[in-house]
Amino acid sequence: MNKYVVKNIKRPDEQIIAEYSKLDVSTVHEAQGKMGLLSREIKSISSGAAICGPAVTAVCYAGDNLMIHAAIEVCRPGDILVISTIGENAIGMIGELIVMALMKRGVKGVITESGIRDAAQIRELGFPIWTKAIHSQGAVKTRGGWVNAPAVCGGAAVNPGDLMMADDDGIVVVKRDDIQSTLEASKERMRKEEGTKEKIARGELSLDFYQLREVLKRENVHYYEDEDQVKA
C-alpha cells in the first residue's frame, strides 16, 4: 500500500475564504443542498469558536498520531487540520504540545474524529478544536499513513484543499470545485433571511409567508375555537 505525504495542495483564494468567514455552518449547509455536514458527535471544546479555511488531511491508524506530526510540516498559515482514523478510537491523539506546534505554523484549528487531551491547556491557548472525545490515554507513533490524501472524517468525504467551516452548530465541508457556486447560493440565502427577519419584525406569521396553511389543510389539521369544540 502506497503511503505518502503531499507537500503542496491547491487552496481556495484568500478573498473567498474571507467571504465564507462572514457566514455560518447552517447557512452554508442549507445553501449547498443540505450536504457536507460532519457527524454531530464531533464537537467544539470551547463555546463560541468558529473557523474557516482549507483542509489539510491526515489519515492515521487509530491510536497512532505519527501522521499528525508529518502533517505539521506541510501546514501553512490559515489551514485547518482534518484528522481521520482507520478504526474507531477516542484516544487523545492531540495534546498541548502538538497544538503549540500547529499554532506556530499558523493553523486555524483542528477537526478530528478521534480524541484529544490537555483540554484545559488548549482552551487556555485559545486554539479551536472540534473532537469526538477528551481522553487522557496517549497515542503511539509507529504506523505510517497519509497526509493530503482523500479522507473520510465524521462520515463526510474531505479532500485536501476543500473548504472547512466549523462553529457552535457543527462542521461542514465545501468541495473545492463547488466553492464559488456555494458561496453565491449562501449569499442569496442570507439575503432571503434578511427579508424574513423584516417580515417577522412587522408581525407577519411564518404560516403565511412560508405558505404553510395549505400544508396544514392538506395534512387534515383542523382549527377549533376552544377545547370544548375538540371534545364535542
Side-chain angles (χ1 to χ4, degrees):
M1 186 180 297
N2 183 26
K3 301 174 182 179
Y4 58 82
V5 173
V6 175
K7 294 182 178 180
N8 297 296
I9 61 172
K10 293 181 180 179
R11 292 169 168 84
D13 183 80
E14 289 186 7
Q15 181 58 40
I16 292 286
I17 295 173
E19 290 294 319
Y20 268 98
S21 296
K22 301 173 185 176
L23 304 170
D24 57 76
V25 166
S26 296
T27 295
V28 173
H29 165 60
E30 294 281 352
Q32 64 176 1
K34 300 182 185 294
M35 297 176 62
L37 280 186
L38 276 65
S39 170
R40 64 180 180 272
E41 294 180 355
I42 304 176
K43 300 177 181 180
S44 174
I45 66 169
S46 301
S47 178
I51 54 174
C52 175
V56 167
T57 63
V59 181
C60 307
Y61 285 90
D64 193 307
N65 68 2
L66 175 63
M67 300 315 293
I68 296 175
H69 290 273
I72 294 171
E73 183 181 20
V74 303
C75 284
R76 294 182 183 177
D79 286 343
I80 295 172
L81 180 59
V82 179
I83 302 164
S84 68
T85 59
I86 300 171
E88 287 284 327
N89 83 107
I91 288 174
M93 291 176 63
I94 279 187
E96 179 186 15
L97 299 181
I98 285 179
V99 164
M100 290 176 65
L102 289 169
M103 293 177 71
K104 186 67 176 179
R105 303 292 288 184
V107 173
K108 284 184 177 178
V110 165
I111 297 165
T112 176
E113 63 180 3
S114 181
I116 69 156
R117 62 181 184 176
D118 302 334
Q121 294 92 328
I122 293 170
R123 289 190 186 103
E124 187 174 346
L125 288 169
F127 187 76
I129 291 185
W130 280 254
T131 182
K132 189 167 66 176
I134 297 174
H135 189 28
S136 290
Q137 184 176 353
V140 297
K141 304 168 181 61
T142 60
R143 301 191 70 181
W146 298 262
V147 170
N148 283 329
V152 176
C153 183
V158 180
N159 289 302
D162 285 348
L163 187 75
M164 305 300 301
M165 293 182 64
D167 59 24
D168 283 338
D169 285 344
I171 311 159
V172 69
V173 54
V174 182
K175 297 303 179 187
R176 193 165 58 189
D177 292 342
D178 298 333
I179 285 176
Q180 187 61 51
S181 60
T182 298
L183 177 60
E184 293 168 3
S186 298
K187 288 182 176 180
E188 178 60 27
R189 183 175 178 83
M190 290 295 289
R191 284 191 288 268
K192 288 182 179 179
E193 286 190 357
E194 286 302 316
T196 300
K197 290 176 182 178
E198 292 175 4
K199 292 176 182 178
I200 293 171
R202 292 195 297 266
E204 295 184 35
L205 294 174
S206 55
L207 280 174
D208 294 318
F209 59 71
Y210 286 142
Q211 299 179 337
L212 297 177
R213 295 191 189 278
E214 285 300 314
V215 180
L216 291 174
K217 183 178 179 181
R218 185 173 69 242
E219 289 297 307
N220 204 30
V221 177
H222 299 278
Y223 278 82
Y224 297 100
E225 291 299 328
D226 54 46
E227 293 178 355
D228 292 336
Q229 285 188 341
V230 177
K231 298 174 182 177

